[in-house]
Structure formats: structure tokens, C-alpha cells
């Protein structure tokens, strides 16, 4: 008896789309991480029971016709795909076309274009079998086995639409994701000092209540230390040279993270890595442990230069805490990237520029200036609708700000675009900053990445 064929699919697109983790965007500086939704989903399908294939059309640079040819050749029984708010019209057109070619396949989708109105979307997309509401659950695999207990899935059945609840606050024993199914060469991150890189997710969602972020609405879950360590062993044995921990808040679970980092130190793991975290999560002890375990860069969500916005949007830390953690990280020899959010309702041009100046004051190694996006299923979106800045029909949006969704009420979309470009020029083209970056290069790969970033920044 043949094994059921399961296809993990990142569809094609006209731009360098990143659709994963409920946050779709156009890549700003030519970076492209592995699609983590699909990576985690691969862990639920054992290769002795399923024939599993990955098609990442963005990484492979395949257009719609090329993608469909490859899909048809595989003849999948089930497709688990991505759909992004940034690429929604293209994605809708592609999946309709795909269904016409393989009408017998069941299609399940994950992505930020599917966060709300699940019943309406399943009625609208007649070709869609279900929506993955939590890719940290093996809902599709359980559906294929006709399990009575299914989690993290909304799907059509003969009795109507079924809402399978998501697991909450649990420690998950994931099997090692099947990295070998994903191509090695196309994936890249701007701050890695070696390639190939691997994306690793140690926890899911985030327990902090930031109102502009979808992550606070999802159930926080974490993998066990043993599960993470097994994956790290696999990556080193298979020739990966750099790790991107794509957790929303690295070191959220202190006990599990300490076990993993201590293992990396004691085993002389010898691989550099980067992560996201918060300034109120990492103190001297955590930073020292991270540095000793190979961390060379931390991305911090700074967002604003004013305490009132940090309080209003429930970041729940202060400017002084930001300054302290940035200083400590530098003293530990860890590079720091600050992400900054401009264009929130009521924000003035002078407030936006205060944020740019704050990035310079922090002496951040890198800065990312993102334009606020009214993401589905967030209180921030409700605020923008209530203020009349957008209407409820807005569904296509880009987290990177490649196309700006809304103004602030005081600053137009066109002015926000101008301010964003000015912010990048003001931060990155300072002579002292350029000299510092040049002298910080320690490897050939870093030099190549700097050339790529610079070219994209100028572009």
C-alpha cells in the first residue's frame, strides 16, 4: 500500500515574499529565512508513513506555471500551504489555478491572511479544506489519520465546519523538523557570518500583551530542552553553519533555555546564532550565557522613543530599561538590532524623528524601521478602524512597509514613505557608522552579506 503524499508549499510570487509565522512581508534587504510554519509542520509526518515533499517557490524562484508542473508531478493527496496578507491577490489566484489542476487534493493553509472569519473564508474558498490555526499542533496529520482528537485546525466536514481547539501553555515534544527536505542554498539572513543557515523555533507565540502584534492572541507553547537539543545535533551533523532562532521571545522559558545553552557550551557546539528577545527578559546572567553559547546578535523590539507609546501599546517596559540592556549587550560583545515602529495613529513627524534619533543614541549596530500595519485579529487594528484611519475591508498589507497601508491622521502615507527612507539614510549613512561596520567584518560571508545589504539599501 502506497504512503499518502503530503506537499508542504510556499507558493510563487512577483516579489521576495516572506509569508511565515502569521507575519507576511516583502524582504527588505534580500534576506530569506526558511518558512517556519512548514518547517514545524514537517516534524509531524514520519517518513515511514508518509511521502513528504517541500516546494518553496520563493526560494527556488519558480513562477506559477513551473510550480504547478512540479506539484502535478508529485500528485499530492494533501497540500499544506501558506497564504500571506502581503501577497493575497496573487495567492488567491494561484490556489484557484492549482485546484483546477489537482482537484482531488485536500488543501490546508496557514498564514496571516487567514487569522479571522474562518467560517466565511472556508465558504468563500470552495477549494480549501481547512485552515491551520496553530502550526505547532499536528492537526492536519491527525485529520489524515481520522483522529477523534484534533487540535489547531478549522476544517470542513460532512457535518459542517469544525473548530478544533488549540493546545495551551504546554511543553511539546516535537520530532526534529525535516530540514533535509528544504533546499540549503537559497536561505540567508543579513547578519549571519556563515552559511548555510537553519531556522529553529524553540517556542510558539508570546505571552506579552503588545496590542499591535498577533502573537499575544495565540497560545504560548514551548518545546522541551531534549527536543531542541536533538534538532541542534541534527543541524551540526548535516553541515549547517549558522542558526536563526525565530522565537518571538528567546529565553522566555528560563529553565528550558538554560538547559539548551549549557548543553551548547559543554558540548563545544561551535556555531554562531541570532535571535529575537525583549529588554526586560535578558539580564547580565542571560546575556553572558547566550554569548558563551555562540550568540552574536540579538534583535530587540524597541519600537518608540517615548514612554507613552510603550505604555499605550503595552510593551510594558521603559526607555531606561532599553538603554540598560543595549549597554549590557554591547559590553558582552553581542551585536544589537533595534526594531522601530513608525506611523501609529496620532503620531507626528517629530515623534517619528525622535525614534530615529533614539536609535542613534542607543548606538545600535543595526536598525529596522517598520511602518505600523493594522494586522488582523489585533487591538491595534480595532483602534485604526475606530479612528477611521482604515476600514474593515483592508486585508492586503505588508509588515515591512514596502507598501504602506495607512497614515497616522497627522502624517499621510506618502509622508510616511518619505520619512522611512530618510530614517534609513540618516542611520546607515553616517560616516562613523560606515567605518564601524567595515571594521566589524570578521569573515568572507559577513563581507558578502554587507555588500548585499548595502546594495538593497541603496536600491
Amino acid at each position: 500500500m502506497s504512503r499518502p503524499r503530503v506537499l508542504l508549499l510556499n507558493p510563487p510570487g512577483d516579489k521576495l515574499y516572506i509569508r511565515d509565522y502569521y507575519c507576511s512581508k516583502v524582504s527588505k534587504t534580500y534576506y530569506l529565512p526558511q518558512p517556519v510554519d512548514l518547517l514545524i509542520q514537517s516534524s509531524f509526518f514520519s517518513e515511514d508513513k508518509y511521502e513528504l515533499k517541500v516546494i518553496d517557490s520563493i526560494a527556488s524562484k519558480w513562477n506559477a506555471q513551473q510550480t504547478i508542473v512540479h506539484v502535478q508531478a508529485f500528485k499530492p493527496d494533501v497540500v499544506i500551504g501558506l497564504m500571506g496578507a502581503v501577497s493575497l491577490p496573487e495567492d488567491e489566484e494561484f490556489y484557484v489555478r492549482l485546484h483546477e489542476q489537482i482537484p482531488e487534493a485536500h488543501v490546508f493553509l496557514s498564514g496571516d491572511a487567514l487569522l479571522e472569519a474562518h467560517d466565511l473564508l472556508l465558504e468563500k474558498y470552495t477549494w480549501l479544506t481547512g485552515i491551520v490555526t496553530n502550526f505547532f499542533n499536528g492537526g492536519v496529520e491527525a485529520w489524515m489519520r481520522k483522529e477523534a482528537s484534533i487540535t489547531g485546525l478549522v476544517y470542513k466536514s460532512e457535518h459542517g465546519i469544525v473548530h478544533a481547539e488549540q493546545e495551551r501553555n504546554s511543553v511539546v515534544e516535537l520530532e526534529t523538523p525535516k530540514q533535509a527536505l528544504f533546499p540549503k542554498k537559497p536561505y540567508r539572513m543579513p547578519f549571519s557570518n556563515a552559511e548555510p543557515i537553519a531556522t529553529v523555533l524553540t517556542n510558539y507565540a508570546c505571552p506579552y500583551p503588545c496590542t499591535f502584534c498577533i502573537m499575544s492572541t495565540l497560545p504560548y507553547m514551548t518545546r522541551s530542552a531534549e527536543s531542541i537539543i536533538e534538532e541542534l545535533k541534527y543541524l551540526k551533523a548535516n553541515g549547517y553553519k549558522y542558526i536563526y532562532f525565530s522565537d518571538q521571545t528567546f529565553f522566555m522559558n528560563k529553565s528550558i533555555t538554560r538547559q539548551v545553552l549549557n548543553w551548547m557550551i559543554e558540548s563545544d557546539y561551535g556555531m554562531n546564532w541570532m535571535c529575537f528577545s525583549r529588554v526586560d527578559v535578558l539580564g547580565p546572567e542571560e546575556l553572558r550565557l547566550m554569548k558563551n553559547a555562540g550568540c552574536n546578535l540579538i534583535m530587540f523590539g524597541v519600537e518608540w522613543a517615548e514612554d507613552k507609546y510603550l505604555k499605550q501599546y503595552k510593551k510594558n517596559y521603559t526607555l531606561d530599561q532599553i538603554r540598560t540592556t543595549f549597554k549590557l549587550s554591547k559590553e558582552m560583545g553581542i551585536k544589537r538590532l533595534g526594531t522601530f515602529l513608525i506611523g501609529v495613529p496620532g503620531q507626528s513627524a517629530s515623534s517619528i524623528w525622535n525614534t530615529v534619533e533614539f536609535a542613534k543614541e542607543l548606538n545600535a549596530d543595526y536598525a529596522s524601521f517598520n511602518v505600523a500595519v493594522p494586522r488582523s485579529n489585533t487591538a491595534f487594528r480595532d483602534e485604526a478602524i475606530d479612528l477611521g484611519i482604515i476600514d474593515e475591508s483592508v486585508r492586503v498589507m505588508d509588515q515591512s512597509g514596502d507598501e504602506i497601508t495607512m497614515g497616522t491622521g497627522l502624517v499621510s502615507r506618502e509622508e510616511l514613505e518619505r520619512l522611512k527612507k530618510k530614517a534609513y539614510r540618516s542611520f546607515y549613512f553616517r560616516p562613523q557608522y560606515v567605518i564601524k561596520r567595515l571594521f566589524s567584518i570578521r569573515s568572507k560571508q559577513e563581507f558578502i552579506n554587507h555588500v548585499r545589504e548595502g546594495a538593497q539599501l541603496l536600491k
Side-chain angles (χ1 to χ4, degrees):
M1 184 177 177
S2 63
R3 295 169 294 164
R5 293 183 296 275
V6 179
L7 173 66
L8 302 175
L9 174 64
N10 188 15
D14 291 338
K15 297 180 180 179
L16 193 59
Y17 294 126
I18 299 173
R19 298 184 177 94
D20 63 330
Y21 214 154
Y22 307 116
C23 178
S24 64
K25 51 188 156 302
V26 175
S27 176
K28 285 189 287 190
T29 55
Y30 205 62
Y31 63 88
L32 185 67
Q34 292 159 307
V36 73
D37 309 41
L38 303 182
L39 196 61
I40 295 299
Q41 283 289 302
S42 75
S43 69
F44 296 109
F45 295 92
S46 61
E47 292 181 285
D48 60 329
K49 296 179 181 177
Y50 300 93
E51 189 174 345
L52 194 60
K53 183 178 180 64
V54 172
I55 291 179
D56 186 343
S57 296
I58 297 295
S60 299
K61 298 181 180 179
W62 290 343
N63 61 28
Q65 182 56 37
Q66 289 171 310
T67 303
I68 287 172
V69 167
H70 284 275
V71 174
Q72 286 178 310
F74 181 60
K75 299 179 181 178
D77 299 298
V78 167
V79 175
I80 303 175
L82 301 178
M83 177 179 274
V86 68
S87 52
L88 184 57
E90 290 179 62
D91 293 352
E92 289 177 327
E93 181 181 347
F94 172 79
Y95 282 112
V96 168
R97 185 176 170 185
L98 185 70
H99 176 67
E100 290 171 352
Q101 300 301 318
I102 51 166
E104 69 283 357
H106 290 280
V107 178
F108 295 85
L109 295 182
S110 173
D112 61 348
L114 304 157
L115 289 168
E116 297 180 300
H118 297 135
D119 290 37
L120 292 175
L121 289 172
L122 285 170
E123 290 173 9
K124 176 183 176 181
Y125 300 142
T126 55
W127 43 266
L128 184 62
T129 301
I131 296 170
V132 179
T133 56
N134 185 337
F135 64 79
F136 229 58
N137 294 163
V140 177
E141 198 273 340
W143 177 89
M144 292 182 70
R145 288 189 289 108
K146 297 181 171 57
E147 284 274 317
S149 177
I150 297 175
T151 56
L153 198 66
V154 178
Y155 61 96
K156 295 171 182 173
S157 77
E158 59 184 9
H159 305 296
I161 295 175
V162 178
H163 292 254
E165 292 298 320
Q166 304 181 47
E167 293 180 9
R168 292 185 173 272
N169 298 319
S170 55
V171 176
V172 180
E173 294 286 350
L174 279 186
E175 295 295 322
T176 296
K178 296 171 180 59
Q179 297 265 2
L181 295 175
F182 293 77
K184 273 186 179 181
K185 190 174 180 181
Y187 300 113
R188 54 197 176 268
M189 292 299 287
F191 314 112
S192 62
N193 55 20
E195 289 183 358
I197 71 164
T199 301
V200 175
L201 192 66
T202 76
N203 61 53
Y204 174 83
C206 178
Y208 289 95
C210 310
T211 60
F212 57 87
C213 182
I214 182 62
M215 296 301 158
S216 63
T217 70
L218 303 173
Y220 176 75
M221 306 167 70
T222 185
R223 293 168 65 179
S224 68
E226 293 76 16
S227 168
I228 300 164
I229 289 169
E230 283 305 307
E231 181 173 3
L232 295 179
K233 290 178 180 177
Y234 169 88
L235 294 175
K236 186 166 184 178
N238 284 273
Y240 289 91
K241 302 297 184 183
Y242 192 90
I243 293 171
Y244 163 46
F245 286 106
S246 63
D247 305 358
Q248 294 298 300
T249 308
F250 189 82
F251 231 130
M252 186 64 245
N253 187 300
K254 302 285 189 182
S255 174
I256 288 175
T257 308
R258 283 195 184 98
Q259 289 180 63
V260 172
L261 297 184
N262 281 322
W263 174 84
M264 293 175 80
I265 295 167
E266 292 164 5
S267 67
D268 193 22
Y269 191 63
M271 202 182 299
N272 285 142
W273 50 275
M274 61 187 286
C275 66
F276 285 98
S277 196
R278 286 174 55 101
V279 298
D280 55 349
V281 167
L282 303 181
E285 179 192 349
E286 290 82 9
L287 289 166
R288 187 175 297 107
L289 192 59
M290 291 168 69
K291 174 64 177 177
N292 291 339
C295 179
N296 74 324
L297 182 132
I298 305 171
M299 295 174 280
F300 292 109
V302 177
E303 316 307 0
W304 301 283
E306 295 154 78
D307 280 324
K308 72 171 185 177
Y309 286 125
L310 293 170
K311 183 177 180 180
Q312 178 180 341
Y313 293 109
K314 297 187 178 179
K315 286 300 292 188
N316 292 342
Y317 48 65
T318 67
L319 297 180
D320 284 341
Q321 285 176 292
I322 295 169
R323 291 184 179 101
T324 297
T325 304
F326 265 68
K327 183 174 181 290
L328 281 170
S329 302
K330 182 181 180 183
E331 290 172 353
M332 296 288 177
I334 301 174
K335 292 182 179 179
R336 304 133 310 141
L337 180 148
T339 66
F340 301 88
L341 194 61
I342 63 177
V344 295
Q347 191 175 25
S348 66
S350 62
S351 171
I352 291 170
W353 205 249
N354 284 342
T355 296
V356 179
E357 293 300 318
F358 188 50
K360 298 176 188 176
E361 178 203 325
L362 289 171
N363 194 24
D365 296 284
Y366 310 98
S368 177
F369 300 101
N370 303 301
V371 181
V373 172
R375 298 173 66 185
S376 297
N377 209 30
T378 62
F380 182 77
R381 180 179 178 85
D382 295 337
E383 177 192 9
I385 292 171
D386 291 343
L387 292 172
I389 294 174
I390 63 163
D391 62 51
E392 294 182 3
S393 66
V394 173
R395 291 189 66 209
V396 179
M397 54 194 112
D398 177 9
Q399 180 70 19
S400 73
D402 186 61
E403 293 185 14
I404 295 172
T405 308
M406 66 181 199
T408 73
L410 297 177
V411 180
S412 68
R413 289 191 296 171
E414 294 74 19
E415 179 66 4
L416 274 176
E417 174 67 21
R418 189 187 71 80
L419 284 168
K420 185 188 78 166
K421 290 179 179 178
K422 184 180 177 183
Y424 276 109
R425 289 195 299 268
S426 178
F427 183 88
Y428 282 106
F429 293 161
R430 294 171 289 157
Q432 67 272 30
Y433 177 82
V434 173
I435 292 170
K436 181 179 78 170
R437 282 286 293 271
L438 289 173
F439 278 96
S440 72
I441 296 172
R442 294 291 181 271
S443 70
K444 179 181 176 182
Q445 189 60 54
E446 278 189 291
F447 175 77
I448 293 170
N449 289 345
H450 276 65
V451 172
R452 285 175 180 167
E453 292 170 52
Q456 290 297 314
L457 195 61
L458 287 168
K459 188 177 177 180

